[in-house]
Amino acid sequence: MSTVKRLKDELEKIGCTCVILSTEFHAHLFNRFKVKNIVFPYAIDDSTWPIRAFKIEAFKYSNFITLNWEQLLSKANQDFKKPKSSFIQNHFYHLAWDESFKKFLENNNVKAEHIKVIGNPLHDLLLEDLNNTSVYEEKLRTEFKLKKNSDVYFFPMNYGWAFFSDNKIKAKIKMGYQPDIAYEYREYSQRCLNSFLYFITDLCNENSQNTFVVRPHPSISIEQYIERFKNQGLKLPDNLLLTKKYTIKEWIAISKVIGSSWSTSVWDAQKIGKIGFLYTPFKRPEWLETFWNPLVINISESNEFEKVLNSQNNEVSGVGEVVQSISSWLFDIHSGHSKEKIIKSGVSFEAMNYSYRIRAQLRVFSMEKLKGMGVGKGLQRDYFLPIK
């Protein structure tokens, strides 16, 4: 959201009018805007939500753009994340952070002239927040009553698969994951999560003067983590903070070390000069490996944490005015000629879109009038009013 808001600000400086809508809460508003450009966080399959909502006659002259928000792909999700339809391959403009992702897109039939290599916009924002560290130090330490002189260690954990039901696994398989990998992914995540609970408890007990901040995966609630601690017979240490408040940017800014399971937040933090490490209690499956995994410290025991603390901060590299460059690219697309797209949709297609619009209206009503009743806790935190 921080990146999208910044892009909106930059585009408005050069004369564009922008609106930010939620794909989960504002589906009933999509048709109310006549737009020339539609920017998606990602684009995989136009038969799925949210792209399906815009593949209608009203938007046949609009430009379709994807920021391809997740680009540091493991072997397991490369097939899942690749553009799967000719509509996305031929009619979408694609942002790439580097030449390797551009090659990935080209290998999956995306037109080279529709791909723009610019960089990862998050690095811009992370660097800016480092300049505001003193402000965040005061704000976060006051709000969470953190000891003034304690070091903060931040753990944005990526164990979402550990909480998946069988139905969720089947849905992932239907969307492109190989069945054997999907079930192994859940089993591996569960083993690592259970081990992590003991690991973080030991770290807290061994470093009682410092603060450990654990941020669950966006789709997982604090309550689910607390339940897992209870199931393992573990008491939450006094210096452990479980929270989803604020974004990773503020926590990375004030933290001495950033550690995770396999979250790209570790790599992003390292790119802006922070110390990062991966907690790897069991050998990482070959299908989960990425190019950057071995480029950060990997540890499996709490007694190895000293090795992390004694490591050198990394030099800032490959970071520039990325957000401004992306906004210029978006404006260039906006200023160009929009090509008409042949769009066909049947009765069942329209009926499904209608049901999603009704669902969005019910979700908004629940958030505004019923305190989110019937809306998953993980989804509730993503609710916001349309930003115009």
Side-chain angles (χ1 to χ4, degrees):
M1 178 62 87
S2 298
T3 300
V4 172
K5 284 182 177 178
R6 179 63 61 83
L7 288 172
K8 176 178 180 293
D9 291 342
E10 293 292 335
L11 286 165
E12 287 175 343
K13 288 178 184 177
I14 50 180
C16 296
T17 301
C18 306
V19 60
I20 303 174
L21 299 175
S22 164
T23 58
E24 299 293 344
F25 290 95
H26 300 145
H28 56 299
L29 303 178
F30 290 167
N31 291 359
R32 298 186 185 180
F33 298 93
K34 186 176 181 180
V35 293
K36 186 174 181 182
N37 306 284
I38 307 167
V39 183
F40 298 89
Y42 55 86
I44 298 173
D45 188 344
D46 60 273
S47 66
T48 59
W49 195 260
I51 298 172
R52 186 184 65 230
F54 294 91
K55 196 181 173 186
I56 58 178
E57 188 75 11
F59 301 108
K60 69 178 182 179
Y61 289 107
S62 299
N63 295 313
F64 288 68
I65 304 151
T66 172
L67 298 178
N68 288 314
W69 195 242
E70 187 178 354
Q71 298 191 20
L72 302 177
L73 304 178
S74 67
K75 295 178 182 178
N77 59 15
Q78 283 182 359
D79 191 58
F80 176 66
K81 294 288 184 178
K82 71 181 182 182
K84 292 183 172 66
S85 69
S86 60
F87 189 81
I88 293 172
Q89 293 160 354
N90 297 322
H91 296 301
F92 268 73
Y93 293 92
H94 293 254
L95 170 67
W97 296 345
D98 54 32
E99 290 293 337
S100 64
F101 192 77
K102 179 183 179 182
K103 188 67 175 175
F104 168 76
L105 292 174
E106 288 178 338
N107 288 342
N108 287 287
N109 301 314
V110 174
K111 294 180 177 179
E113 61 269 26
H114 283 184
I115 306 170
K116 184 70 172 180
V117 178
I118 299 177
N120 187 343
L122 178 60
H123 295 161
D124 272 11
L125 305 186
L126 286 174
L127 275 178
E128 289 179 11
D129 280 321
L130 283 185
N131 296 328
N132 295 316
T133 297
S134 59
V135 176
Y136 297 136
E137 282 273 3
E138 182 177 357
K139 184 177 181 63
L140 271 64
R141 286 183 185 274
T142 299
E143 179 171 342
F144 296 102
K145 298 180 173 59
L146 307 182
K147 297 177 183 177
K148 185 175 181 181
N149 296 320
S150 68
D151 287 328
V152 176
Y153 305 123
F154 180 46
F155 293 79
M157 304 310 293
N158 201 8
Y159 291 131
W161 280 75
F163 298 86
F164 282 179
S165 65
D166 285 345
N167 286 337
K168 183 72 172 179
I169 295 292
K170 291 175 182 176
K172 287 287 187 181
I173 293 171
K174 187 175 181 181
M175 294 170 69
Y177 270 95
Q178 296 179 24
D180 55 336
I181 289 179
Y183 284 102
E184 185 182 351
Y185 202 161
R186 179 173 65 178
E187 189 271 337
Y188 181 74
S189 298
Q190 290 172 340
R191 289 171 59 211
C192 289
L193 171 59
N194 290 338
S195 181
F196 172 74
L197 300 180
Y198 289 94
F199 170 79
I200 196 67
T201 299
D202 289 343
L203 279 186
C204 289
N205 293 334
E206 294 164 5
N207 301 271
S208 57
Q209 73 281 12
N210 296 317
T211 301
F212 292 79
V213 179
V214 173
R215 177 187 176 89
H217 185 271
S219 64
I220 307 305
S221 69
I222 298 298
E223 290 78 8
Q224 286 173 294
Y225 256 71
I226 293 174
E227 186 66 25
R228 289 299 175 105
F229 271 96
K230 289 180 179 178
N231 290 344
Q232 296 297 318
L234 295 171
K235 178 182 178 295
L236 268 69
D238 293 336
N239 57 331
L240 172 63
L241 173 62
L242 274 171
T243 184
K244 298 178 81 167
K245 288 187 176 181
Y246 298 95
T247 72
I248 62 166
K249 300 190 294 92
E250 292 88 355
W251 287 113
I252 288 176
I254 73 166
S255 297
K256 182 176 180 179
V257 172
I258 294 85
S260 183
S261 44
W262 46 83
S263 170
T264 56
S265 301
V266 170
W267 180 245
D268 293 331
Q270 186 158 299
K271 291 288 283 185
I272 63 163
K274 289 282 185 172
I275 297 174
F277 80 95
L278 294 176
Y279 174 61
T280 313
F282 310 106
K283 180 177 173 55
R284 190 181 298 110
E286 190 269 343
W287 46 260
L288 192 54
E289 289 285 5
T290 68
F291 78 89
W292 62 272
N293 289 161
L295 301 180
V296 301
I297 297 173
N298 283 249
I299 66 174
S300 59
E301 303 284 347
S302 61
N303 58 19
E304 296 179 279
F305 191 59
E306 194 69 26
K307 179 172 65 174
V308 176
L309 296 178
N310 293 332
S311 64
Q312 297 293 316
N313 287 57
N314 300 281
E315 294 184 6
V316 178
S317 62
V319 181
E321 297 297 326
V322 177
V323 174
Q324 191 170 9
S325 296
I326 294 174
S327 65
S328 296
W329 170 62
L330 293 174
F331 184 74
D332 288 343
I333 295 172
H334 171 77
S335 302
H337 176 68
S338 298
K339 296 180 181 178
E340 180 181 0
K341 303 167 189 65
I342 299 175
I343 295 177
K344 298 178 181 179
S345 58
V347 175
S348 60
F349 186 93
E350 293 294 342
M352 191 173 295
N353 278 351
Y354 178 76
S355 70
Y356 274 62
R357 291 197 292 271
I358 296 298
R359 186 182 69 173
Q361 287 180 295
L362 292 174
R363 283 176 172 173
V364 171
F365 179 79
S366 176
M367 294 300 295
E368 294 179 350
K369 305 294 184 181
L370 304 176
K371 297 182 179 180
M373 185 177 69
V375 181
K377 288 186 178 295
L379 186 59
Q380 286 183 28
R381 66 184 297 274
D382 292 330
Y383 173 69
F384 61 90
L385 295 173
I387 302 172
K388 301 179 182 180

